[in-house]
Amino acid sequence: MLDRELSGHRRVEIPSIHPAAVDRQAAEVRCTCAVAGRHLPNAGGPEMSIQIRLPSCTLLFDPSPKETVGALTRRVAMACRLPAARVVLFCRGRRLGGPLSRLPRSGALRIALRQIGGGPPTLVGMSLPELFAKFDINGDGTISREEFTTAMTSTLKGFTTMSRAEAENIFKRFDADGNGTVDVKEFMAAWEPAHQPPAREVPVGEKWRWETYGGGEIEAVLSSGAIVLLDAQWVVDLAESGGMLRPRQALPDEAFLSLSEVQAATSAHASALPIICISHCWLQPDHPDPRGHNLRVFARALKSLLTAEGGRRHAVFYDFCCIHQCCRDSRGAPQGTTFQFSQKEGGLAAGAIGRYASEHGLFKQALGSLGAFYSHPTTMVLMLTAFPSDYKDKKLYTQSGNTQPYFGRGWCFCESSWAMMVKGDDLTLDLAKMAGNGPIEWAELRRMCTQGRKAPILPSTFDDELKHKAFTNGKTDLPLVGALYRDGFTARFGVATGLQYGEIGWGDPQATALGTLLGAGAAPNLTKLHLGSNSIGDAGACALAKGLSGVPLLKELNLKNNAIGDAGGAALAEGLRSIPDLERLYLDGNAIKAVGSTALGKALSAVPALEWFYLSGNPLGEAGASAVAAGLAGTPAVEWLYMSNCSIKDEGARALAKNLASIPSLEWLDLDGNGIGDAGVIALAEQFGVVPSLERLYLRNNIIGDEGAAALADKLSTVPMLRWLYLEGNAIKDELLIKETITPKWGRRGSGLCL
């Protein structure tokens, strides 16, 4: 990505196109061109820097804002020693005309040099060593700053036009080692185009789905080619054929998916982007998986996912294959492993180039974008936290560099911490927990591998832990990783409106960590917090209650099916005062008794907007139910009230009946399994008239007899909206009452009676 940015001005990014193979005998030579622009105040149009990459050289232009496409065409023609008629500028398949300021800002400029006859132009046909000789004016085998500047401003003036300052700035990019001179290797690496993904275009269809799931956030880095994505099916096929992963530059085009192919895979029934990020340890310094163990592990998971998704295409991010690696030998040819720095040679071993200069720039861009992939709310992360069983065998693996376990490595710790920030409960999987070796159902794999997920941590906590992690290049990577996590944390939690941490085996330690994070104000815009079906007890609930002060906009709190007792219930009651806009509270399936429910009842007035209140499955007892019922006076908006299996009995039912007038909007009332008899149901029936919106009434598995049923029948007319009455499992024996009284009245409303 060529990009300019001025402080205080709007940033404009235009992706470069992918370099195409050049057939010098063809009628048309297609060349790469990148355009970068910025809008300046009161300027006539965008300023641009246009780079045209030819087979063996690069042309640089800085057109004025008012320059036309025709004028640029003539300049390109002059630089290439071609008649202007043989140069045509295209963008998005359309021939361009008019001012350059009209170039589509999201498109890329392509220049076609039409070779009508007569062989290639002089400079296009020149080899890089020959071009190097033109720059090396004194012939000493290196190019000094002065020689480079002279060549770019005078000797090769017909080749390109630029000022001395511009030439000196470009020299800095050529001088990779910063020693003040450019040797042949640096020169060749600087001119060569970076490896790019295939430019296949497929119909995307409803691209808004890609945008809905947040694809726009990573589109720029994918468009620039800094990161490419693998085809998941290709990965599975490679693993099953016994193949090995190779560096990005050494992989065939069919290994990758183009951006449009990834966008097209974002289907209507999906709930996330079709992108899977692999977080793994490098098992050797020159290759992350030299024996293919990890490949087989995550390919097994990919196959399970693809099968469950009916073969829908998925993309895979695996750093070794998706980011430019240091794998080019002295001739620039990509190899199957990376080259390491040699102290003896003072550079990469065997005189290797490693990465072209163009690739190095994209590599740096990719590093800065890693957090966008691993922390993205709708990408999936598969963590490979376990080593192969034979990893300690020095005959099989080179034991050098960073050999710490997964969570002891700095980059792995960062990737996993990103993944555990804001993703849903089924989007971060630890494949070390995947059992067996054969085919596995995706639902079962997901169930196994989501358990025990760690809680997100504050940047300050991350920094403290990071100091104890191992890096291969700790001096540079430690501050970089810390800054990347901090930026990612702020970006994710600063805008997060919902956090989904249900059914992942959390207990008090994780809940406490989350409470600390929320209390620090890290997620000020949070409106939904789901922590259901975990193992959170009183200690965790108390910590979460304190943290509620940091999420004043919270509208939904789900803590169902945990292990919260009276102490936790009382703490949560106090915490409700910090979230006055709460609309839905799920506390069903816990162990809250009279003390905790009494505290909750007294605190209900602090959440006057409460609409859904779930308490089912808590042993509230008659006293606790009565306290909750009394508290309903402060929540006039309640529509759904679930209090099944709470042992409220007749006394609790009478207390509830007494306070029904406080919740006139009530639509659903669940009192199943509470030991309610005739006295309790008669009291409720007498108050039907104060809840005219009641649609469903659950009274299953109580001890209601004929007297109670008769009272219900008599009051049915006072609840005209009632559509479903559930009475199974009671002691009603008068069949005539049911047939002649309840059923006819019910039938006239065309609704349901469950007995």
Side-chain angles (χ1 to χ4, degrees):
M1 177 74 67
L2 292 178
D3 174 44
R4 292 182 180 179
E5 183 175 2
L6 289 181
S7 177
H9 301 313
R10 186 167 67 87
R11 180 177 179 180
V12 182
E13 294 184 333
I14 305 174
S16 61
I17 70 168
H18 313 308
V22 176
D23 181 355
R24 296 184 182 178
Q25 304 304 316
E28 179 176 285
V29 178
R30 297 176 184 270
C31 308
T32 303
C33 176
V35 183
R38 60 184 177 185
H39 283 282
L40 301 178
N42 305 316
E47 287 193 1
M48 298 179 183
S49 172
I50 297 181
Q51 180 186 52
I52 307 168
R53 195 176 292 283
L54 301 176
S56 59
C57 60
T58 298
L59 309 179
L60 302 172
F61 295 93
D62 288 303
S64 67
K66 297 182 180 180
E67 187 167 358
T68 64
V69 170
L72 178 60
T73 300
R74 290 190 291 274
R75 293 177 65 187
V76 173
M78 181 179 66
C80 294
R81 306 295 195 270
L82 284 173
R86 298 185 187 177
V87 179
V88 186
L89 276 65
F90 292 90
C91 187
R92 293 180 177 175
R94 298 173 58 189
R95 184 168 178 166
L96 295 178
L100 290 173
S101 59
R102 295 181 185 175
L103 286 177
R105 306 313 296 169
S106 62
L109 185 66
R110 181 174 47 110
I111 295 182
L113 304 181
R114 297 189 181 279
Q115 300 287 73
I116 299 175
T122 303
L123 287 175
V124 172
M126 184 183 299
S127 68
L128 286 175
E130 290 172 334
L131 189 60
F132 177 84
K134 285 188 171 291
F135 279 76
D136 183 15
I137 298 173
N138 64 8
D140 66 353
T142 62
I143 303 172
S144 66
R145 182 188 301 272
E146 184 61 32
E147 286 176 322
F148 187 90
T149 304
T150 299
M152 295 297 279
T153 57
S154 59
T155 305
L156 299 178
K157 196 168 184 179
F159 169 56
T160 185
T161 55
M162 63 178 59
S163 67
R164 186 178 182 86
E166 289 172 322
E168 289 181 348
N169 187 52
I170 293 173
F171 176 81
K172 295 177 183 178
R173 284 183 270 167
F174 277 62
D175 184 14
D177 59 11
N179 68 352
T181 61
V182 175
D183 58 25
V184 174
K185 187 171 71 173
E186 290 175 313
F187 188 81
M188 291 176 65
W191 287 116
E192 289 292 346
H195 172 272
Q196 291 282 2
R200 294 187 296 267
E201 293 291 333
V202 298
V204 173
E206 297 178 319
K207 189 180 177 182
W208 64 268
R209 298 190 187 281
W210 166 262
E211 299 292 344
T212 298
Y213 298 134
E217 179 182 340
I218 57 177
E219 188 167 335
V221 72
L222 292 174
S223 297
S224 72
I227 289 177
V228 294
L229 298 174
L230 297 172
D231 183 345
Q233 187 60 58
W234 180 88
V235 173
V236 172
D237 293 343
L238 179 69
E240 292 185 341
S241 66
M244 298 284 292
L245 292 170
R246 295 169 63 83
R248 164 179 169 167
Q249 298 97 309
L251 291 176
D253 278 357
E254 59 265 25
F256 304 107
L257 292 180
S258 67
L259 174 58
S260 66
E261 288 172 329
V262 178
Q263 292 172 331
T266 311
S267 63
H269 66 272
S271 59
L273 290 176
I275 298 175
I276 301 103
C277 303
I278 310 298
S279 178
H280 63 103
C281 296
W282 277 55
L283 301 180
Q284 282 189 179
D286 63 347
H287 196 292
D289 188 24
R291 299 180 61 80
H293 173 272
N294 283 345
L295 169 62
R296 292 188 293 273
V297 171
F298 73 81
R300 181 181 173 220
L302 292 177
K303 185 173 183 177
S304 176
L305 173 61
L306 294 177
T307 301
E309 294 269 340
R312 182 169 69 98
R313 263 185 157 175
H314 281 70
V316 175
F317 173 78
Y318 183 82
D319 56 359
F320 185 59
C321 303
C322 299
I323 297 176
H324 294 97
Q325 298 300 315
C326 207
C327 67
R328 295 190 182 276
D329 63 16
S330 59
R331 298 174 294 107
Q335 302 301 303
T337 58
T338 60
F339 290 93
Q340 306 302 301
F341 181 81
S342 170
Q343 198 73 36
K344 181 179 179 180
E345 298 182 41
L348 295 179
I353 290 175
R355 299 184 190 92
Y356 290 143
S358 53
E359 293 175 337
H360 186 71
L362 291 172
F363 172 75
K364 291 294 187 182
Q365 183 189 354
L367 286 185
S369 303
L370 291 179
F373 282 82
Y374 284 102
S375 70
H376 196 287
T378 68
T379 63
M380 182 180 294
V381 174
L382 302 181
M383 302 187 301
L384 296 163
T385 62
F387 283 162
S389 58
D390 57 0
Y391 180 61
K392 296 298 183 181
D393 189 339
K394 295 183 179 180
K395 296 179 181 179
L396 301 178
Y397 294 94
T398 301
Q399 300 293 320
S400 63
N402 190 351
T403 59
Q404 292 296 309
Y406 179 89
F407 287 108
R409 300 193 184 197
W411 277 106
C412 293
F413 173 60
C414 184
E415 291 165 2
S416 63
S417 297
W418 275 328
M420 294 171 190
M421 282 185 184
V422 298
K423 291 185 184 298
D425 44 34
D426 61 348
L427 290 177
T428 300
L429 285 73
D430 184 353
L431 297 187
K433 299 173 182 178
M434 181 172 57
N437 295 302
I440 183 171
E441 291 291 329
W442 177 248
E444 178 63 12
L445 186 155
R446 185 174 57 187
R447 184 194 64 78
M448 289 188 294
C449 297
T450 55
Q451 297 302 299
R453 171 174 162 179
K454 294 185 178 181
I457 55 177
L458 290 165
S460 57
T461 305
F462 179 87
D463 288 340
D464 290 340
E465 294 190 30
L466 191 64
K467 295 174 185 177
H468 305 290
K469 307 301 180 183
F471 288 96
T472 301
N473 302 302
K475 185 175 181 180
T476 56
D477 285 357
L478 181 62
L480 171 64
V481 169
L484 288 175
Y485 180 81
R486 189 161 44 253
D487 292 344
F489 182 92
T490 302
R492 294 297 177 213
F493 280 100
V495 301
T497 57
L499 296 176
Q500 183 92 3
Y501 303 131
E503 300 181 73
I504 56 176
W506 273 17
D508 288 340
Q510 293 89 347
T512 299
L514 180 63
T516 300
L517 184 150
L518 297 178
N525 297 304
L526 195 67
T527 60
K528 294 183 179 181
L529 178 59
H530 179 24
L531 292 161
S533 300
N534 284 299
S535 301
I536 300 170
D538 285 340
C542 289
L544 286 168
K546 292 179 181 179
L548 293 178
S549 61
V551 286
L553 304 181
L554 197 68
K555 294 181 180 296
E556 181 174 321
L557 176 59
N558 189 332
L559 284 164
K560 68 178 182 180
N561 298 329
N562 278 284
I564 301 170
D566 279 342
L572 289 169
E574 185 63 29
L576 293 180
R577 306 182 191 283
S578 301
I579 46 175
D581 295 331
L582 189 70
E583 296 175 355
R584 298 181 181 183
L585 178 59
Y586 301 83
L587 292 173
D588 42 320
N590 281 284
I592 301 172
K593 299 179 181 179
V595 174
S597 54
T598 298
L600 284 168
K602 292 179 179 179
L604 287 179
S605 60
V607 285
L610 189 67
E611 297 176 352
W612 293 9
F613 190 19
Y614 282 63
L615 279 169
S616 295
N618 287 283
L620 306 181
E622 297 166 275
S626 298
V628 170
L632 293 175
T635 57
V638 168
E639 297 175 350
W640 291 14
L641 179 59
Y642 277 65
M643 295 177 66
S644 63
N645 301 303
C646 291
S647 301
I648 72 172
K649 300 184 179 179
D650 284 343
E651 183 180 341
R654 282 194 291 264
L656 185 60
K658 182 180 178 181
N659 289 280
L660 282 180
S662 301
I663 47 175
S665 299
L666 187 66
E667 297 176 358
W668 288 23
L669 177 60
D670 185 353
L671 296 173
D672 285 350
N674 273 303
I676 299 172
D678 288 341
V681 81
I682 290 172
L684 287 169
E686 289 293 332
Q687 297 299 316
F688 275 175
V690 301
V691 283
S693 298
L694 189 65
E695 296 179 2
R696 296 196 180 202
L697 177 59
Y698 298 81
L699 290 167
R700 294 173 294 196
N701 302 319
N702 282 291
I703 52 175
I704 301 169
D706 292 344
E707 185 180 356
L712 285 172
D714 185 55
K715 298 297 181 180
L716 282 178
S717 60
T718 64
V719 278
M721 299 299 293
L722 192 66
R723 292 292 179 265
W724 294 95
L725 176 60
Y726 297 83
L727 289 169
E728 307 103 295
N730 279 284
I732 303 172
K733 297 179 180 179
D734 189 341
E735 295 183 2
L736 186 63
L737 172 68
I738 296 173
K739 290 180 180 179
E740 296 186 1
T741 307
I742 296 179
T743 303
K745 291 182 178 181
W746 207 263
R748 284 196 295 273
R749 287 201 294 275
S751 302
L753 173 67
C754 298
L755 291 167

